[in-house]
Amino acid sequence: MSGRLIGVGVGPGDPELMTLKAVRALAAADVVAHFAKAGRVVGTGRTIAAEHVPPDAEELALWFPVTTEIDKDEPAYREAICSFYDRAAAAVATRLDAGRVVAVICEGDPLFYGSFMHLHARLAARYPTEIVAGVSGMAGSWSAAGLPIAQGDDVFTVLPATLDECELARRLRETDAIVIMKLGRNLPKVRRALAQAGRLKQAIYVERATMAGAAVVALADKADDGAPYFAVVLVPGFEQRQ
Amino acid sequence: MSGRLIGVGVGPGDPELMTLKAVRALAAADVVAHFAKAGRVVGTGRTIAAEHVPPDAEELALWFPVTTEIDKDEPAYREAICSFYDRAAAAVATRLDAGRVVAVICEGDPLFYGSFMHLHARLAARYPTEIVAGVSGMAGSWSAAGLPIAQGDDVFTVLPATLDECELARRLRETDAIVIMKLGRNLPKVRRALAQAGRLKQAIYVERATMAGAAVVALADKADDGAPYFAVVLVPGFEQRQ
């Protein structure tokens, strides 16, 4: 008799943006796992869900060995991260083999740019697995900005800021609604690509949406010095079409 | 003293996927408004939120005058729909002018392909306005399918099935993760475009995700006869990269 794996989306940051289903899934879990960045005391997802982790659940913190700012094409990075996910999956599997229900806390939505997907890929074929969809970080961002992002027949595109400048500019020209993620040190390049594509004026910069210290400003008014890795730039497709 | 407008995302269908914040916003509202399709007894959003609409709140049903299957480029359609949104906004404004808190129920997320955006465009500059982000219908779909959709540096694109076949095929070739929406009668065209782009084998068809009667099948196993307008096709970008 094996246990059950549940990927629990806890939303973009405001604990009130957790779903009823996420709250109930955590309350019923035997084991509550979460990912945490190297160097942090606790993971962001764990902080969001703090009030809903049962005191008698076993907690399993999965610490990334390296930061996400390291070039992903470095072989050493790939090796470290892959072996980390293997160990994390093995730790979860041990609990599942013992018949326990393991809830994995996922920031945003579990299957949309989330670390949980690496556990899912390793475990979902072997154990009963369930996903509790969550409010994405992006939805938190455009909601905090009060910015209607996409409507009607808009093409909506999520672009990683890691793309090269020409490629970014080309894709920015071809889509209506845009989210650019993984800003970090890529912000100056993103700004140039937006200018090339004629979309800079509409671009909104959002940092820490729905959390303490949230910032929403026109990208034109934001300096290039320092954007957190999880900040985003939004360009709305819905322009007062009514 | 004017009231307050709140766009309340109620998620993709399962009432358990409402957020704590959505539940509280509805409980505190003086007026609860919702959009409903012509010909229906009640709107889908209102059904999702049923347990959380306060019995003493004034209810305001906003009935679409035409169905969304009508060609949006028809001038008669545009005129009917625009005048409908004008009237809906006026009805909400009357309540806001009376100092009341008006919560508008939004399926999925209020600012992501939602009807609420038309009220937002007409009212947000004149009244205090707040958005409660919701789980999108798309997130409900890939979660129900257990399908990791996008990861890492994936480019993620939402394409309306209303695009012409060549344009669809071209865009399908250029993106990693894909959601195709507004299927309805466009399903045969979408299938041809996916085949042209070499993505048909990976495509998953999802209907009524997280609701009663949900269907998740490989698109290759789904007949072309009849897809609901709100069914989607998903093509994952995350292909067992680990």
Side-chain angles (χ1 to χ4, degrees):
Chain A
M1 194 205 68
S2 86
R4 196 156 43 92
L5 174 64
I6 315 181
V8 180
V10 298
D14 179 351
E16 290 279 291
L17 288 175
M18 289 178 67
T19 64
L20 302 175
K21 196 167 184 171
V23 168
R24 283 192 240 273
L26 291 176
D30 300 313
V31 180
V32 174
H34 78 275
F35 288 99
K37 279 192 198 172
R40 290 280 179 81
V41 177
V42 71
T44 309
R46 177 64 182 74
T47 303
I48 295 169
E51 277 185 44
H52 304 286
V53 176
D56 58 342
E58 180 199 353
E59 290 219 46
L60 184 59
L62 306 168
W63 295 97
F64 284 103
V66 286
T67 80
T68 39
E69 286 277 11
I70 296 173
D71 187 339
K72 69 172 177 56
D73 295 326
E74 282 286 321
Y77 172 81
R78 281 181 178 279
E79 194 177 283
I81 205 83
C82 185
S83 116
F84 160 68
Y85 285 125
D86 286 342
R87 288 193 312 275
V92 171
T94 302
R95 275 77 179 177
L96 294 171
D97 287 333
R100 308 184 79 187
V101 174
V102 182
V104 181
I105 291 174
C106 309
E107 292 169 52
D109 177 80
L111 300 183
F112 190 61
Y113 296 105
S115 304
F116 173 74
M117 295 161 70
H118 299 278
L119 293 183
H120 192 273
R122 286 165 173 79
L123 299 170
R126 291 158 52 201
Y127 300 97
T129 301
E130 196 184 313
I131 304 295
V132 178
V135 175
S136 68
M138 293 172 197
S141 296
W142 61 64
S143 297
L147 189 74
I149 190 80
Q151 179 57 279
D153 284 347
D154 280 346
V155 172
F156 168 88
T157 307
V158 177
L159 297 172
T162 46
L163 290 175
D164 79 32
E165 188 174 329
C166 291
E167 182 64 8
L168 269 174
R170 184 181 72 79
R171 288 179 180 270
L172 290 169
R173 265 186 220 103
E174 293 213 334
T175 182
D176 303 298
I178 301 153
V179 174
I180 308 174
M181 55 170 206
K182 303 199 170 186
L183 286 181
R185 59 190 170 187
N186 298 305
L187 188 59
K189 176 180 67 180
V190 166
R191 187 189 302 276
R192 291 192 302 270
L194 282 160
Q196 273 183 51
R199 307 295 297 267
L200 183 55
K201 237 172 96 180
Q202 306 166 284
I204 306 290
Y205 169 88
V206 186
E207 187 178 310
R208 295 182 60 79
T210 86
M211 289 184 268
V216 177
V217 288
L219 181 58
D221 298 333
K222 153 84 187 153
D224 270 343
D225 54 338
Y229 191 70
F230 287 108
V232 293
V233 165
L234 308 173
V235 184
F238 180 75
E239 297 167 34
Q240 309 299 318
R241 279 198 299 269
Q242 285 169 33
Chain B
M1 193 206 67
S2 87
R4 197 154 43 91
L5 174 64
I6 315 180
V8 179
V10 298
D14 178 352
E16 289 279 292
L17 288 174
M18 289 178 66
T19 65
L20 302 174
K21 196 167 184 171
V23 168
R24 283 192 239 275
L26 291 176
D30 301 312
V31 180
V32 174
H34 77 275
F35 287 98
K37 279 193 200 173
R40 290 279 180 84
V41 177
V42 70
T44 309
R46 176 65 182 74
T47 303
I48 296 170
E51 277 186 44
H52 304 287
V53 176
D56 57 343
E58 180 198 354
E59 290 217 47
L60 184 60
L62 306 167
W63 294 96
F64 284 101
V66 286
T67 81
T68 39
E69 286 277 13
I70 295 174
D71 187 340
K72 67 169 179 53
D73 294 325
E74 281 285 323
Y77 172 79
R78 282 183 177 276
E79 195 177 282
I81 204 84
C82 185
S83 116
F84 161 67
Y85 285 126
D86 286 341
R87 289 193 313 275
V92 171
T94 303
R95 276 77 180 177
L96 294 170
D97 287 333
R100 309 185 80 188
V101 175
V102 182
V104 181
I105 291 174
C106 309
E107 291 169 54
D109 177 80
L111 300 183
F112 190 61
Y113 296 104
S115 306
F116 173 74
M117 296 163 68
H118 299 278
L119 292 183
H120 192 273
R122 286 165 172 79
L123 298 169
R126 291 158 52 201
Y127 301 96
T129 301
E130 195 184 314
I131 304 295
V132 178
V135 175
S136 67
M138 293 172 198
S141 296
W142 61 63
S143 297
L147 190 73
I149 189 81
Q151 178 56 282
D153 285 347
D154 279 346
V155 172
F156 167 88
T157 307
V158 176
L159 297 172
T162 46
L163 291 174
D164 78 33
E165 187 173 331
C166 290
E167 183 64 7
L168 269 175
R170 185 182 71 79
R171 288 180 181 269
L172 289 170
R173 266 185 220 105
E174 293 215 333
T175 182
D176 302 299
I178 301 153
V179 173
I180 308 174
M181 54 171 206
K182 302 198 172 187
L183 287 182
R185 59 190 171 188
N186 299 304
L187 188 58
K189 176 179 66 180
V190 165
R191 188 190 301 275
R192 290 192 302 269
L194 282 161
Q196 272 183 51
R199 306 295 297 268
L200 182 55
K201 236 172 95 181
Q202 306 166 285
I204 306 289
Y205 170 89
V206 186
E207 188 179 310
R208 296 182 59 80
T210 88
M211 290 186 266
V216 176
V217 288
L219 181 57
D221 299 332
K222 153 85 188 153
D224 270 344
D225 54 336
Y229 192 69
F230 287 108
V232 294
V233 165
L234 308 173
V235 185
F238 180 75
E239 296 166 37
Q240 308 300 319
R241 279 198 300 271
Q242 288 172 31

